[in-house]
Amino acid sequence: MAWQEASTNALRQRCKGSSRGKCASKGAGCSGKEEESSSRAGGGSDCSPDGLQQYTQAWIVAMCFTCQIVECLVALSFAVRGMRAGQPLWSAASAVVYTGLGVGVVTTLAGLWMTPRAWSRLALAARLPRFLGFMIGKALVSFGALPPPAGADTYGGGPGILLLEGVILPSGCLLPPRTALAMSCLKLPLNIMSGLVVGAFTNLLPAVLMALAVEALAMGTTLACHGYVRRHYMRLRWQ
């Protein structure tokens, strides 16, 4: 993919640049062998954890777009089901959908007029608000502030919640593992309560098991993505 090639080239340039800097500080006596060993030794600050962070952010931005497209499709699906059930687009039930998926939809639409660099910054900044949107939507339904939208029972008790909140959202809005763990701990009781309120489950045990499965899958996805990005970054360093 283009973003991977750009990240790879930028990473190689940073590593080469820092190795040249080391050799330049030694003067004309720096041989090609020393330059090569300097490059292999770590390549300076740009091949440090700061370089890994930049590479991770580039990966997140690419994944964010895919995740946001899925969120737009899910929002459209809820809207269609709502209209078929006689639920107006500006009803209280529809507000739950806008609260949960609105940040992702707005971020996607903003890319139509923003520059790529500005949109990248927006996508990175919107990661946590997108998680919070899901949580606020579930809290509004769980505590009776808003009625559940049409199709919420199917989503909350089926593969939809596992796919969107267990795989797509954690990978497309990749957070640091500790932050992701905190989000999972906060979302867990909300998943249980909302699953019961929308009618996805009639008993507590199935609701608890589904909530645990969603958050366990989300944490597994988060750790797997971080591991993949780190391994890929390390391979690029040695090329």
Side-chain angles (χ1 to χ4, degrees):
M1 294 178 66
W3 69 270
Q4 288 178 320
E5 294 176 359
S7 299
T8 302
N9 293 335
L11 177 61
R12 287 172 177 168
Q13 290 299 324
R14 287 196 300 267
C15 292
K16 289 178 180 178
S18 45
S19 65
R20 290 193 197 103
K22 288 184 176 182
C23 289
S25 66
K26 293 182 179 180
C30 178
S31 66
K33 186 178 294 185
E34 287 175 326
E35 182 176 352
E36 180 180 357
S37 103
S38 173
S39 176
R40 290 182 179 178
S45 60
D46 288 328
C47 290
S48 67
D50 289 338
L52 174 60
Q53 181 180 4
Q54 293 174 6
Y55 187 78
T56 302
Q57 289 177 347
W59 190 88
I60 291 172
V61 168
M63 292 298 293
C64 269
F65 181 76
T66 302
C67 177
Q68 288 164 2
I69 292 298
V70 174
E71 284 181 288
C72 290
L73 294 176
V74 172
L76 181 61
S77 174
F78 270 109
V80 171
R81 294 197 63 166
M83 287 188 292
R84 288 179 178 176
Q87 174 184 298
L89 290 176
W90 302 112
S91 64
S94 297
V96 176
V97 178
Y98 304 146
T99 302
L101 300 169
V103 177
V105 173
V106 170
T107 305
T108 304
L109 296 177
L112 297 176
W113 66 82
M114 297 180 69
T115 63
R117 178 172 295 183
W119 187 86
S120 297
R121 291 196 297 268
L122 176 63
L124 291 171
R127 287 177 296 163
L128 196 56
R130 286 164 69 185
F131 274 92
L132 294 176
F134 276 82
M135 294 168 59
I136 293 172
K138 292 174 186 289
L140 291 172
V141 171
S142 299
F143 294 106
L146 292 176
D153 54 343
T154 304
Y155 169 79
I161 189 172
L162 286 169
L163 182 62
L164 182 59
E165 299 184 38
V167 178
I168 296 175
L169 185 66
S171 61
C173 300
L174 188 62
L175 296 173
R178 291 183 181 179
T179 306
L181 180 60
M183 290 295 101
S184 291
C185 291
L186 292 173
K187 280 183 61 190
L188 182 63
L190 293 174
N191 285 345
I192 297 172
M193 290 189 292
S194 62
L196 293 170
V197 170
V198 302
F201 305 100
T202 56
N203 297 317
L204 179 61
L205 182 58
V208 171
L209 293 178
M210 176 61 84
L212 288 172
V214 170
E215 299 312 322
L217 184 58
M219 279 306 304
T221 300
T222 299
L223 295 175
C225 288
H226 277 287
Y228 168 81
V229 173
R230 185 176 185 84
R231 286 193 299 271
H232 197 262
Y233 171 81
M234 295 303 293
R235 282 199 299 269
L236 292 176
R237 284 188 58 182
W238 293 102
Q239 288 180 359

